[in-house]
Short mmCIF file of all heavy atoms in Angstrom, two decimals:
data_model
loop_
_atom_site.label_atom_id
_atom_site.label_comp_id
_atom_site.label_asym_id
_atom_site.label_seq_id
_atom_site.Cartn_x
_atom_site.Cartn_y
_atom_site.Cartn_z
N THR M 422 84.29 40.59 121.47
CA THR M 422 84.46 39.16 121.73
C THR M 422 85.24 38.49 120.61
O THR M 422 86.00 37.55 120.84
CB THR M 422 83.11 38.46 121.90
OG1 THR M 422 82.29 38.73 120.77
CG2 THR M 422 82.42 38.94 123.15
N ALA M 423 85.06 38.98 119.38
CA ALA M 423 85.81 38.42 118.26
C ALA M 423 87.29 38.69 118.40
O ALA M 423 88.13 37.89 117.97
CB ALA M 423 85.29 38.99 116.94
N ILE M 424 87.63 39.81 119.00
CA ILE M 424 89.04 40.17 119.18
C ILE M 424 89.63 39.42 120.36
O ILE M 424 90.69 38.81 120.27
CB ILE M 424 89.16 41.69 119.41
CG1 ILE M 424 88.60 42.45 118.22
CG2 ILE M 424 90.60 42.08 119.68
CD1 ILE M 424 88.40 43.92 118.49
N VAL M 425 88.96 39.46 121.47
CA VAL M 425 89.54 38.97 122.72
C VAL M 425 89.36 37.47 122.89
O VAL M 425 90.33 36.72 122.97
CB VAL M 425 88.93 39.73 123.92
CG1 VAL M 425 89.47 39.19 125.22
CG2 VAL M 425 89.23 41.21 123.80
N ARG M 426 88.14 37.02 122.96
CA ARG M 426 87.89 35.63 123.32
C ARG M 426 88.36 34.65 122.26
O ARG M 426 89.01 33.65 122.56
CB ARG M 426 86.40 35.43 123.60
CG ARG M 426 86.10 34.03 124.12
CD ARG M 426 84.64 33.77 124.21
NE ARG M 426 84.07 33.89 122.88
CZ ARG M 426 82.79 34.10 122.65
NH1 ARG M 426 81.96 34.22 123.63
NH2 ARG M 426 82.34 34.20 121.41
N ASP M 427 88.05 34.93 121.01
CA ASP M 427 88.31 33.96 119.96
C ASP M 427 89.79 33.84 119.59
O ASP M 427 90.26 32.77 119.25
CB ASP M 427 87.50 34.29 118.70
CG ASP M 427 86.01 34.23 118.97
OD1 ASP M 427 85.61 33.57 119.94
OD2 ASP M 427 85.25 34.83 118.19
N ASP M 428 90.53 34.95 119.66
CA ASP M 428 91.90 34.92 119.15
C ASP M 428 92.99 35.12 120.21
O ASP M 428 94.09 34.60 120.05
CB ASP M 428 92.08 35.98 118.06
CG ASP M 428 91.32 35.61 116.80
OD1 ASP M 428 91.35 34.42 116.44
OD2 ASP M 428 90.70 36.49 116.21
N LEU M 429 92.72 35.88 121.24
CA LEU M 429 93.78 36.18 122.20
C LEU M 429 93.78 35.28 123.43
O LEU M 429 94.83 34.97 123.98
CB LEU M 429 93.71 37.65 122.64
CG LEU M 429 94.02 38.66 121.55
CD1 LEU M 429 93.84 40.06 122.08
CD2 LEU M 429 95.43 38.47 121.02
N VAL M 430 92.62 34.88 123.87
CA VAL M 430 92.55 34.05 125.08
C VAL M 430 93.27 32.71 124.94
O VAL M 430 93.93 32.27 125.87
CB VAL M 430 91.07 33.88 125.53
CG1 VAL M 430 90.94 32.85 126.62
CG2 VAL M 430 90.52 35.22 126.00
N PRO M 431 93.22 32.04 123.78
CA PRO M 431 93.93 30.75 123.68
C PRO M 431 95.44 30.86 123.91
O PRO M 431 96.07 29.89 124.31
CB PRO M 431 93.62 30.28 122.26
CG PRO M 431 92.34 30.92 121.92
CD PRO M 431 92.37 32.25 122.60
N TYR M 432 96.06 32.01 123.65
CA TYR M 432 97.50 32.15 123.85
C TYR M 432 97.87 32.12 125.32
O TYR M 432 98.79 31.41 125.73
CB TYR M 432 98.01 33.46 123.23
CG TYR M 432 98.03 33.44 121.73
CD1 TYR M 432 97.10 34.17 121.00
CD2 TYR M 432 98.96 32.69 121.03
CE1 TYR M 432 97.10 34.16 119.63
CE2 TYR M 432 98.98 32.67 119.65
CZ TYR M 432 98.04 33.40 118.96
OH TYR M 432 98.05 33.39 117.59
N GLU M 433 97.20 32.91 126.10
CA GLU M 433 97.47 32.96 127.54
C GLU M 433 96.17 33.40 128.22
O GLU M 433 95.94 34.58 128.42
CB GLU M 433 98.58 33.96 127.83
CG GLU M 433 99.03 33.91 129.27
CD GLU M 433 100.18 34.85 129.54
OE1 GLU M 433 100.97 35.15 128.64
OE2 GLU M 433 100.26 35.28 130.69
N PRO M 434 95.34 32.45 128.60
CA PRO M 434 93.99 32.80 129.07
C PRO M 434 93.99 33.66 130.33
O PRO M 434 93.25 34.63 130.40
CB PRO M 434 93.32 31.46 129.34
CG PRO M 434 94.25 30.42 128.90
CD PRO M 434 95.54 31.03 128.53
N PHE M 435 94.84 33.35 131.30
CA PHE M 435 94.79 34.07 132.56
C PHE M 435 95.26 35.52 132.39
O PHE M 435 94.59 36.46 132.79
CB PHE M 435 95.64 33.36 133.62
CG PHE M 435 95.57 34.02 134.97
CD1 PHE M 435 94.43 33.89 135.74
CD2 PHE M 435 96.62 34.78 135.44
CE1 PHE M 435 94.34 34.50 136.98
CE2 PHE M 435 96.55 35.39 136.66
CZ PHE M 435 95.41 35.25 137.44
N GLY M 436 96.41 35.72 131.78
CA GLY M 436 96.96 37.06 131.60
C GLY M 436 96.11 37.93 130.69
O GLY M 436 95.88 39.11 130.97
N THR M 437 95.61 37.35 129.60
CA THR M 437 94.76 38.09 128.69
C THR M 437 93.45 38.47 129.37
O THR M 437 92.97 39.59 129.23
CB THR M 437 94.48 37.26 127.43
OG1 THR M 437 95.72 36.91 126.82
CG2 THR M 437 93.63 38.02 126.43
N GLY M 438 92.91 37.54 130.11
CA GLY M 438 91.67 37.82 130.83
C GLY M 438 91.83 38.94 131.84
O GLY M 438 91.00 39.85 131.91
N ILE M 439 92.91 38.88 132.62
CA ILE M 439 93.17 39.93 133.61
C ILE M 439 93.34 41.28 132.92
O ILE M 439 92.79 42.29 133.36
CB ILE M 439 94.42 39.59 134.45
CG1 ILE M 439 94.17 38.35 135.32
CG2 ILE M 439 94.85 40.76 135.30
CD1 ILE M 439 93.15 38.55 136.40
N PHE M 440 94.10 41.31 131.84
CA PHE M 440 94.36 42.56 131.13
C PHE M 440 93.06 43.21 130.64
O PHE M 440 92.82 44.40 130.88
CB PHE M 440 95.31 42.30 129.95
CG PHE M 440 95.60 43.50 129.11
CD1 PHE M 440 96.51 44.45 129.54
CD2 PHE M 440 94.96 43.69 127.90
CE1 PHE M 440 96.77 45.57 128.77
CE2 PHE M 440 95.22 44.79 127.12
CZ PHE M 440 96.13 45.75 127.56
N PHE M 441 92.22 42.44 129.96
CA PHE M 441 91.02 43.03 129.38
C PHE M 441 89.93 43.27 130.41
O PHE M 441 89.17 44.25 130.29
CB PHE M 441 90.51 42.17 128.22
CG PHE M 441 91.35 42.33 126.99
CD1 PHE M 441 92.20 41.32 126.59
CD2 PHE M 441 91.31 43.49 126.25
CE1 PHE M 441 92.99 41.47 125.47
CE2 PHE M 441 92.09 43.66 125.13
CZ PHE M 441 92.94 42.64 124.74
N VAL M 442 89.84 42.46 131.44
CA VAL M 442 88.87 42.73 132.50
C VAL M 442 89.25 44.01 133.24
O VAL M 442 88.41 44.87 133.53
CB VAL M 442 88.76 41.54 133.48
CG1 VAL M 442 88.04 41.92 134.75
CG2 VAL M 442 88.04 40.38 132.80
N LEU M 443 90.54 44.18 133.51
CA LEU M 443 91.01 45.40 134.15
C LEU M 443 90.74 46.62 133.26
O LEU M 443 90.29 47.66 133.75
CB LEU M 443 92.51 45.27 134.45
CG LEU M 443 93.12 46.28 135.38
CD1 LEU M 443 92.52 46.16 136.76
CD2 LEU M 443 94.62 46.05 135.45
N PHE M 444 90.99 46.48 131.97
CA PHE M 444 90.73 47.57 131.03
C PHE M 444 89.26 47.95 131.02
O PHE M 444 88.91 49.13 131.10
CB PHE M 444 91.20 47.17 129.63
CG PHE M 444 90.85 48.17 128.58
CD1 PHE M 444 91.53 49.37 128.50
CD2 PHE M 444 89.84 47.92 127.66
CE1 PHE M 444 91.21 50.30 127.53
CE2 PHE M 444 89.52 48.84 126.69
CZ PHE M 444 90.20 50.04 126.63
N ILE M 445 88.38 46.95 130.92
CA ILE M 445 86.94 47.22 130.89
C ILE M 445 86.49 47.87 132.19
O ILE M 445 85.72 48.83 132.20
CB ILE M 445 86.14 45.92 130.62
CG1 ILE M 445 86.41 45.40 129.22
CG2 ILE M 445 84.64 46.12 130.84
CD1 ILE M 445 85.82 46.21 128.11
N LEU M 446 86.99 47.37 133.32
CA LEU M 446 86.59 47.96 134.61
C LEU M 446 87.03 49.41 134.73
O LEU M 446 86.27 50.27 135.16
CB LEU M 446 87.17 47.14 135.77
CG LEU M 446 86.50 45.81 136.05
CD1 LEU M 446 87.24 45.07 137.14
CD2 LEU M 446 85.05 46.03 136.45
N ILE M 447 88.27 49.69 134.35
CA ILE M 447 88.78 51.05 134.50
C ILE M 447 88.16 52.00 133.50
O ILE M 447 87.65 53.06 133.86
CB ILE M 447 90.32 51.07 134.39
CG1 ILE M 447 90.93 50.36 135.60
CG2 ILE M 447 90.85 52.48 134.30
CD1 ILE M 447 92.42 50.16 135.49
#
Side-chain angles (χ1 to χ4, degrees):
T422 55
I424 300 167
V425 177
R426 186 188 61 200
D427 297 340
D428 290 319
L429 293 177
V430 170
Y432 288 107
E433 189 177 332
F435 183 74
T437 303
I439 293 293
F440 178 78
F441 285 106
V442 166
L443 193 64
F444 174 73
I445 293 289
L446 285 175
I447 291 172

